Amino acid sequence: MPPELDALRSKPRHGESVAQRAGRAVRRAIASSPAAETASVTQTAYAIQQPVTTGRQISVSSIRGGAGKSTVAALLALTYAHYRADPVLAIEADPALGTLPHRLGAREVRWSGTDLAQIVDPSMLITDLTGYLIPFPGGGWLLPGSQGAIGTRLDIDTYRVVMTSLRRYFATTVVDCETLPAEVARTALVTTQARVLVSPATPEGVAATRSVLDWVGGLHPGMLPTTVVVLSHVSPDSGLELRKATEHLGIGGATVLPLPYDRHLAAGGAIRTELLGERTLQAAARIAAEAMNRAVSRGPGRQRTGRPDPEPPGGAGR
C-alpha cells in the first residue's frame, strides 16, 4: 500500500463490539464447560499441527470477486504460521492487483512469482530463498503475484515452476488463486492436495458455488472430499439460512464451514489477529484444521484422467 494512502485508513476496530464481548464473557461464566472448550481447542490444534511427509499445498479460490477469497487465504496463512513450527508460505496467484499482500501487512514488494521463477534453483537453501520473500506475522513467508501493476499476468508455466520448486522448502503452502474458471485457478484446483472454495453467504453466492462444485465433481469425484467450502459473511445479517445452505453445498463429501462477520475484517487493510473477534479466530482455526486434514489424508485415485475437462459453469466467456 503506497504510504500516501495511509491517511485513508481509520483507526482499526476490534472485530466485536464491547457489548458482544461483554455478553460472551457473561455466558461463559454462567453456562460454559471449560473441559469441552479445552477438548475442542486441543483437537483443532492437533489437526493444524499434524506432521506432513511432503509439502502440503492448499488452494483458495471463489467464483467471483469480493467473496472474501484473499481474506480467507490470509487467515489460513496466519493460522498455520501461528500453530506450526515448520515453514509456511503464502503465494499470491492472483496478480491482477490482488489484496493478499495488503491483508498480510506487506509494506513493499521486492520480487514477484514471475521474477522468482527465473532464478529459483534446486541447489538453493531455504535461507537463500527467503531473501526473495516477505515475512509476515507468525514467522510465515509471502510471495506476491505482482508489483501492483495492472496487466501483470501469471501464466501456467510460471505457476508450475514456482509451485514445484518451492514445495520441498515449505511444509504448508496457501495459494490465493484467481477467481474460477480462470486458467491458473483451474490448474491450482487439480494440482493442490486440498482446496478451499469461498462463497458469499447469500443465496446467489450459494447457487453459483453449487454450480462450481458440480463442475469439480465432473472433473473428478475424488476432489470433492478434499474441498472445504467457506460461507463468508460480509455483512452483520446476511439473511441466509445456514443449515439449508450447508445441506445444499455439502455434496460428494465437501465440508461447509461459516466465517462470521467481523468488523475488523470488513474494514480491509492488514489483518491484526489481536483485533479479530473470538468467533472469527475459532472459525479460522477450524477451517485451517479441516483443510489440513484433507490435504494430509487425501486418498488415491485423484490423478486426472485422459478425458477433456468439462466446460466450466457459465461457459468460457464468464
Side-chain angles (χ1 to χ4, degrees):
M1 184 71 69
E4 61 270 18
L5 295 184
D6 282 344
L8 299 180
R9 301 180 188 273
S10 59
K11 182 179 179 181
R13 296 196 301 173
H14 196 282
E16 297 174 323
S17 67
V18 175
Q20 288 174 319
R21 282 175 278 169
R24 186 182 65 250
V26 171
R27 290 191 299 271
R28 177 173 293 170
I30 295 175
S32 69
S33 171
E37 289 184 8
T38 301
S40 177
V41 170
T42 302
Q43 183 180 11
T44 300
Y46 177 80
I48 296 173
Q49 296 170 343
Q50 60 186 297
V52 297
T53 54
T54 59
R56 302 286 93 180
Q57 298 174 342
I58 300 168
S59 61
V60 183
S61 189
S62 64
I63 190 62
R64 63 183 62 169
K69 170 180 64 66
S70 295
T71 296
V72 171
L75 284 173
L76 286 177
L78 290 166
T79 301
Y80 289 131
H82 173 75
Y83 278 94
R84 297 189 65 88
D86 43 29
V88 174
L89 175 66
I91 292 181
E92 184 185 39
D94 184 6
L97 295 181
T99 58
L100 183 63
H102 304 310
R103 291 309 240 168
L104 290 177
R107 302 297 300 178
E108 60 178 348
V109 175
R110 293 169 289 185
W111 296 79
S112 68
T114 303
D115 299 326
L116 190 60
Q118 299 174 10
I119 63 172
V120 67
D121 185 89
S123 65
M124 297 176 69
L125 302 176
I126 189 171
T127 51
D128 302 323
L129 188 64
T130 52
Y132 301 99
L133 306 176
I134 300 173
F136 65 81
W141 298 94
L142 165 69
L143 178 62
S146 71
Q147 296 188 2
I150 295 177
T152 302
R153 302 300 303 168
L154 179 68
D155 57 54
I156 290 182
D157 290 337
T158 299
Y159 173 79
R160 286 175 174 162
V161 168
V162 170
M163 295 300 288
T164 55
S165 300
L166 300 185
R167 180 172 178 175
R168 70 187 184 94
Y169 296 100
F170 296 93
T172 307
T173 300
V174 178
V175 188
D176 180 17
C177 299
E178 300 173 291
T179 54
L180 289 165
E183 198 171 23
V184 172
R186 295 175 67 180
T187 301
L189 198 70
V190 298
T191 56
T192 50
Q193 286 75 45
R195 55 211 48 82
V196 175
L197 190 60
V198 183
S199 168
T202 62
E204 296 83 0
V206 170
T209 302
R210 174 57 189 261
S211 297
V212 174
L213 291 173
D214 291 337
W215 171 58
V216 170
L219 289 175
H220 197 297
M223 290 200 296
L224 288 176
T226 56
T227 299
V228 178
V229 180
V230 175
L231 287 172
S232 177
H233 291 72
V234 295
S235 64
D237 185 9
S238 64
L240 184 71
E241 182 60 48
L242 189 60
R243 181 182 59 82
K244 293 182 179 179
T246 300
E247 292 174 354
H248 188 66
L249 295 176
I251 63 171
T255 298
V256 184
L257 296 174
L259 179 64
Y261 172 76
D262 187 285
R263 299 191 308 173
H264 179 60
L265 292 180
I271 297 176
R272 293 172 51 183
T273 53
E274 71 273 13
L275 293 180
L276 292 174
E278 183 172 336
R279 291 175 60 227
T280 304
L281 289 170
Q282 293 172 350
R286 187 178 177 194
I287 294 167
E290 291 290 343
M292 182 59 70
N293 276 335
R294 279 146 184 77
V296 171
S297 62
R298 55 187 288 259
R302 188 178 159 274
Q303 298 299 321
R304 299 188 64 187
T305 63
R307 66 176 184 264
D309 292 350
E311 182 69 18
R318 183 166 176 174

